[in-house]
Amino acid sequence: MKELVEILAKALVDHSDQVLVAQSETDKTVHLQLTVAPEDMGKVIGKQGKIANAIRTLVKAAAVKDGRRVHMDIDQ
């Protein structure tokens, strides 16, 4: 899941070298922390959060396949 978020975010931003994804896990939950450059924040979030929600939907679909839950935060 970490790789999926990283690939999607790097495709959206101008400064792909500043994209970082941190992952922490418990039994059934995965927490992902996406960090991008401040000027790329709008590109990752999108109007009314549509792009961020689409990324979350894709990651949740991948998590369901593994029988897990996922939580994703976006920071600059």
Side-chain angles (χ1 to χ4, degrees):
M1 285 177 271
K2 177 181 175 181
E3 294 84 16
L4 175 63
V5 173
E6 193 169 344
I7 290 168
L8 291 171
K10 284 184 177 184
L12 294 170
V13 300
D14 290 332
H15 305 285
S16 60
D17 56 325
Q18 295 183 21
V19 172
L20 299 171
V21 181
Q23 178 174 328
S24 60
E25 299 183 31
T26 60
D27 302 351
K28 299 243 178 197
T29 305
V30 177
H31 182 83
L32 298 170
Q33 184 75 29
L34 172 61
T35 306
V36 296
E39 54 270 9
D40 289 330
M41 213 44 186
K43 293 177 182 165
V44 173
I45 295 174
K47 290 188 180 192
Q48 298 178 354
K50 288 186 179 183
I51 294 175
N53 286 336
I55 294 171
R56 285 187 179 110
T57 301
L58 288 171
V59 173
K60 284 181 183 180
V64 167
K65 241 176 126 175
D66 293 340
R68 297 176 144 197
R69 301 187 77 182
V70 67
H71 179 75
M72 188 180 90
D73 291 328
I74 302 171
D75 288 332
Q76 52 178 336

